[in-house]
Amino acid sequence: MRAQISIPEYLFWWATRVFMLLYIIKQFRGDHKWIDYLLPVLVGTGTFAVLLLRLVFPRKSMFGRLSFHLQTFISLMAVTGSIGNYFGLYSTNGILHYDWILHVVSGVPVTMLGYYLLVAMNGKKTRLTPQICACASMGFSFMVIIAWEIMEFCGDYLFGDNNQKYNWEIVPEDPFYKLFTNSAAGMEQAPLDDTIVDMATAFFVTIFTGIVLYIVLKRRERKQETRMQEDKKLEVAV
């Protein structure tokens, strides 16, 4: 494992795991809904996801072939979301629209998650071109974007949460508040606007990440082709 990842990645994993342990302890010391106890435990377990899957599943299976680099992106998603709850960044006294910032940040790791799952699923059966990798990775991210908004709706409907701004906190200096109050439906349209803004943000970040992924993979492919051509020339010369 250590041969596949860098030291900064390895340190980041353990920093994330220590933070999640502190977050879980904090949650169990307070008085919360049962879902607020369960989620930190599940997210904390996710910081060991790749290692656990590779231990449980055989090497020939998809999950047994997962790259350890995938754990870095899973840990990034875990820590960015949990930091908001730990320090109260979602509240009015926290960072304005921290949940929207998460949609900006999450577009990158979710797209990369799609890429590493694709590579693990394929194994070495067929050649994956940069175009296929980029398109499939973006498609996976688009699916997660939709699934996330469905989850937020279900959370509001079943548990009385406020993920989609049904109970909007009035903050006059908030640009989003001004946008909703000036819209045709006024504040009644806040849940729809919140959903569309979140989806649009993650959509464009996913597109950007997919383009960067394509460029990186294309350059890697060209380097490999150049190296192969040079090796052939050496063989001919010998």
Side-chain angles (χ1 to χ4, degrees), residues 10-30:
Y10 190 73
L11 294 176
F12 175 68
W13 291 2
W14 281 103
T16 303
R17 291 162 182 168
V18 170
F19 170 77
M20 288 307 305
L21 178 60
L22 294 175
Y23 177 40
I24 292 170
I25 293 173
K26 178 183 178 182
Q27 286 296 100
F28 275 86
R29 285 180 175 177

Side-chain angles (χ1 to χ4, degrees), residues 2-124:
R2 292 293 301 275
Q4 298 183 32
I5 62 171
S6 62
I7 293 178
E9 279 184 293
Y10 190 73
L11 294 176
F12 175 68
W13 291 2
W14 281 103
T16 303
R17 291 162 182 168
V18 170
F19 170 77
M20 288 307 305
L21 178 60
L22 294 175
Y23 177 40
I24 292 170
I25 293 173
K26 178 183 178 182
Q27 286 296 100
F28 275 86
R29 285 180 175 177
D31 185 16
H32 305 284
K33 300 177 182 178
W34 66 269
I35 191 69
D36 294 323
Y37 296 114
L38 178 62
L39 284 177
V41 174
L42 293 177
V43 174
T45 305
T47 60
F48 293 91
V50 174
L51 178 61
L52 293 174
L53 289 172
R54 287 176 64 110
L55 288 175
V56 172
F57 290 91
R59 181 63 177 170
K60 293 182 179 180
S61 69
M62 167 188 167
F63 295 110
R65 292 193 300 263
L66 286 174
S67 170
F68 281 109
H69 291 295
L70 176 60
Q71 186 61 66
T72 302
F73 294 102
I74 295 176
S75 297
L76 177 61
M77 289 187 289
V79 73
T80 50
S82 300
I83 281 177
N85 289 318
Y86 188 88
F87 294 104
L89 301 181
Y90 293 101
S91 65
T92 306
N93 297 326
I95 297 178
L96 194 61
H97 298 298
Y98 184 76
D99 62 332
W100 177 77
I101 295 174
L102 284 183
H103 283 81
V104 176
V105 176
S106 63
V108 177
V110 173
T111 305
M112 295 307 299
L113 175 62
Y115 167 69
Y116 284 113
L117 287 175
L118 173 67
V119 172
M121 187 184 302
N122 181 68
K124 295 183 179 180

Side-chain angles (χ1 to χ4, degrees), residues 116-181:
Y116 284 113
L117 287 175
L118 173 67
V119 172
M121 187 184 302
N122 181 68
K124 295 183 179 180
K125 297 178 182 178
T126 58
R127 175 178 171 269
L128 295 174
T129 64
Q131 294 92 330
I132 292 176
C133 290
C135 290
S137 301
M138 289 188 293
F140 177 83
S141 183
F142 296 152
M143 179 186 68
V144 173
I145 292 170
I146 296 171
W148 183 267
E149 294 303 323
I150 293 174
M151 185 185 70
E152 284 192 348
F153 172 80
C154 292
D156 293 344
Y157 186 82
L158 297 174
F159 305 110
D161 294 334
N162 189 35
N163 296 307
Q164 295 186 309
K165 304 299 184 293
Y166 286 97
N167 299 312
W168 186 263
E169 297 179 4
I170 298 178
V171 182
E173 64 273 13
D174 185 346
F176 277 71
Y177 173 77
K178 294 177 182 179
L179 173 65
F180 296 152
T181 52

